[in-house]
Amino acid sequence: MQSDRDDVPPFTLCSDVDGMRYVIVDPADADMSGWAVELMDANVRWPDPNALTSLSSFEQDTWFSSGEGDWNGLGYGTPKTAWCAIAAHGDRISAWIGPDGTRYEP
């Protein structure tokens, strides 16, 4: 997926074998050290300043690349290290938070 913003890297939303969903960023596209995503329930009206949000920080872990920008956590493809942050099913990304705390809203 690609954001409309130039300051947010391309990303993939995918699940692991346990069904947990993640935001995956290829380390070739960006260094996500210190970055996080702010998540909001997808059923909440946009924008709702009273809606509860959560933060999920990026960390590196092994994921599987099955082609150009195609990532999965199911074991299909070549194992590679990628940046990942938990984004549960039913959550949407309401903002990307940079290492200095700057918000980048989609």
Side-chain angles (χ1 to χ4, degrees):
M1 300 180 141
Q2 180 68 42
S3 171
D4 293 336
R5 300 183 60 104
D6 292 334
D7 44 16
V8 173
F11 64 95
T12 302
L13 294 173
C14 61
S15 298
D16 65 7
V17 294
D18 296 322
M20 181 57 74
R21 190 175 74 155
Y22 292 82
V23 179
I24 307 296
V25 175
D26 191 322
D29 293 329
D31 178 358
M32 301 305 289
S33 299
W35 281 78
V37 284
E38 180 186 82
L39 303 161
M40 181 183 295
D41 186 322
N43 296 314
V44 174
R45 287 181 18 177
W46 185 275
D48 180 352
N50 299 316
L52 295 176
T53 59
S54 62
L55 284 179
S56 182
S57 297
F58 280 91
E59 57 186 50
Q60 289 191 307
D61 204 350
T62 301
W63 284 81
F64 298 87
S65 175
S66 55
E68 287 290 318
D70 293 328
W71 292 90
N72 72 84
L74 304 176
Y76 304 118
T78 305
K80 294 174 110 178
T81 300
W83 289 101
C84 60
I86 294 174
H89 293 280
D91 284 350
R92 71 166 175 249
I93 300 171
S94 52
W96 294 72
I97 311 297
D100 62 356
T102 302
R103 291 174 55 86
Y104 302 91
E105 295 184 11

